[in-house]
Amino acid sequence: MNRHTIFELRRYRLLPGRREALIRLFDSEFIESQETLGMRVEGEFRDLDDPDCFVWVRSFENMEARTEALASFYGGPVWKEHGPAANATMLNSDNVLLLKPVAGVSPFAHNLPRAKEVERGPAKGVVLVNICSLAPAAEEDFSGFFRDNALPIMLDAGARIDALFMTEPRSNGFPRLPVREGETVFVWIECHLDQNAAAAYQNRLQQNPIWTAEIYPRMDSQCWRRIDIAQLTPTSRSLCGW
């Protein structure tokens, strides 16, 4: 069971053609150096619809541990040596959501421990990150409805749901790294074998009259803009993948 309670969904806009350079640097220098400080890199992804976008998720035991770990990492020797090269690939790195798991659903339960990464091949699959923008204080009701009503239908249709998150409302304890504050969101992350499997799942979902007539319309009506869906593929060292 994943005992971490704080998660960051980080989406970076990169300079044209620099994504692969960042991924190589990230994989060689920034995974173990963060995880030895108690953080965990849950997943790293290429955005299939944007060649200049890099997405990753990291987690922390709690808010206090997050503040301490970030201070240690970004004030430490690895970031001092390699941080300038990472920053040189980016247009911005401030598109960050601070999240907590929805009660009753263990996030990233399918992720292998890092120690077992060598026992499997490179990560594969298609990962969909769905972000629902909600009215203030609506996240608890929305999350409960999703968990109790939408989630069973999605699972029956063949999705693997890797995480359900809502906004972590506490203030960012490490302001050197900004996050998107003042927003209320619900996020679900789903994983499929490939794009064909993801399309087949969507077809099955759309054939369910309860989903199309009741569940999805209710979800959609509570979002103040269209649900933001990022279609991703995991990098070779991503723990989150098929």
Side-chain angles (χ1 to χ4, degrees):
M1 174 180 287
N2 192 336
R3 298 187 182 280
H4 282 199
T5 65
I6 300 297
F7 293 77
E8 293 174 347
L9 173 60
R10 310 187 65 87
R11 298 198 284 179
Y12 293 171
R13 283 193 65 209
L14 307 180
L15 292 164
R18 300 305 307 277
R19 183 163 70 184
E20 296 310 308
L22 177 59
I23 289 172
R24 288 193 297 271
L25 181 62
F26 197 101
D27 285 351
S28 64
E29 305 297 340
F30 297 151
I31 293 179
E32 283 78 8
S33 57
Q34 292 185 84
E35 294 189 341
T36 57
L37 296 172
M39 298 176 271
R40 186 159 53 240
V41 179
E42 303 285 1
E44 305 170 61
F45 311 98
R46 297 174 177 91
D47 189 318
L48 290 173
D49 300 313
D50 184 348
D52 301 318
C53 178
F54 174 66
V55 181
W56 63 295
V57 179
R58 71 177 160 193
S59 64
F60 309 83
E61 186 175 354
N62 52 49
M63 286 292 282
E64 294 74 21
R66 175 181 179 269
T67 299
E68 294 174 6
L70 294 180
S72 295
F73 178 73
Y74 290 101
V78 173
W79 185 254
K80 182 178 180 180
E81 180 177 356
H82 299 288
N87 287 334
T89 68
M90 302 177 193
L91 282 172
N92 70 69
S93 59
D94 297 345
N95 185 357
V96 180
L97 292 172
L98 193 59
L99 305 167
K100 62 181 180 180
V102 172
V105 179
S106 179
F108 299 113
H110 294 277
N111 281 14
L112 286 175
R114 181 65 65 186
K116 294 187 177 182
E117 179 187 357
V118 295
E119 300 176 10
R120 57 131 218 229
K124 58 184 181 180
V126 171
V127 176
L128 301 181
V129 175
N130 305 266
I131 302 174
C132 303
S133 297
L134 307 173
E139 67 271 26
E140 291 286 352
D141 287 345
F142 189 96
S143 299
F145 175 81
F146 185 98
R147 182 192 59 221
D148 297 340
N149 297 277
L151 181 59
I153 292 177
M154 291 176 165
L155 296 176
D156 287 344
R160 195 187 88 190
I161 305 299
D162 279 15
L164 306 181
F165 295 122
M166 68 177 83
T167 297
E168 169 52 63
R170 285 176 289 180
S171 62
N172 177 18
F174 193 73
R176 177 178 165 186
L177 289 188
V179 302
R180 287 164 53 183
E181 297 185 282
E183 299 186 40
T184 302
V185 300
F186 172 86
V187 178
W188 85 87
I189 299 176
E190 60 187 76
C191 189
H192 303 274
L193 173 62
D194 53 29
Q195 287 180 300
N196 289 336
Y201 157 74
Q202 283 294 333
N203 287 335
R204 289 190 294 271
L205 204 58
Q206 295 305 316
Q207 292 169 11
N208 186 315
I210 298 176
W211 174 263
T212 57
E214 299 177 25
I215 303 299
Y216 187 81
R218 177 166 170 180
M219 290 167 49
D220 188 47
S221 71
Q222 295 183 54
C223 299
W224 57 263
R225 63 184 177 192
R226 289 185 182 274
I227 296 174
D228 179 3
I229 304 173
Q231 185 176 220
L232 313 174
T233 187
T235 67
S236 61
R237 296 201 65 190
S238 178
L239 295 181
C240 178
W242 192 260

